[in-house]
Each structure stands twice: as structure tokens, then as C-alpha cells.
């Protein structure tokens, strides 16, 4: 895993832990983080570009499903 991803993973883990210590919900914290990432992207990327980025990530989620075959 690239260094950038490790740094971000550690930061997100610390962010969630800190919020949970304050009684905040993990799902709400992660949703807020996602909103802030999109807001940061909007500072220098077009909405179309952001949409493509998010669509790419959504497509990766769909890759978790096994391919459909005739024997399925």
C-alpha cells in the first residue's frame, strides 16, 4: 500500500476514535469526513471530475460481487 494511503488510514482511524470518545457515531463521523473531502475537491476540481472520481469508487464497491456465470 502506498505511503499516502497508510497516512490517511492512520488519520481516519484517529479521527473516528477521537469522535467516538466524544460520544459521536462512527457513521456520522465518516459521512462528515466524506462531505469535507468533496468540499476540498471542489476547491480545484470540476463537479464532473468529482462525479467521475466518486463513480470510479462506487464501481470498485461493485467489484466485490462474484462474476455471474451460466452456472450461477
Amino acid at each position: 500500500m502506498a505511503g499516502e494511503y497508510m497516512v490517511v488510514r492512520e488519520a481516519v482511524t484517529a479521527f473516528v476514535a477521537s469522535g467516538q470518545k466524544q460520544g459521536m457515531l462512527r457513521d456520522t463521523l465518516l459521512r462528515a469526513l466524506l462531505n469535507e473531502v468533496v468540499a476540498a475537491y471542489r476547491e480545484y476540481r470540476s463537479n464532473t471530475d468529482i462525479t467521475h472520481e466518486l463513480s470510479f469508487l462506487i464501481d470498485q464497491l461493485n467489484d466485490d460481487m462474484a462474476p455471474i456465470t451460466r452456472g450461477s
Side-chain angles (χ1 to χ4, degrees):
M1 184 176 289
E4 295 88 350
Y5 287 86
M6 294 296 290
V7 168
V8 172
R9 178 178 281 174
E10 292 170 4
V12 170
T13 298
F15 165 76
V16 170
S18 174
Q20 287 180 315
K21 285 181 185 174
Q22 298 175 53
M24 298 173 191
L25 298 174
R26 178 182 176 90
D27 191 56
T28 305
L29 289 163
L30 293 172
R31 187 176 302 116
L33 183 60
L34 181 58
N35 284 331
E36 288 302 313
V37 167
V38 171
Y41 268 156
R42 291 184 79 187
E43 293 174 7
Y44 66 98
R45 294 174 78 170
S46 70
N47 286 344
T48 300
D49 191 33
I50 295 167
T51 300
H52 288 171
E53 181 76 25
L54 295 173
S55 293
F56 174 77
L57 294 172
I58 290 167
D59 288 344
Q60 286 183 328
L61 291 173
N62 293 332
D63 287 345
D64 288 345
M65 298 177 66
I68 298 173
T69 63
R70 285 183 282 161
S72 296

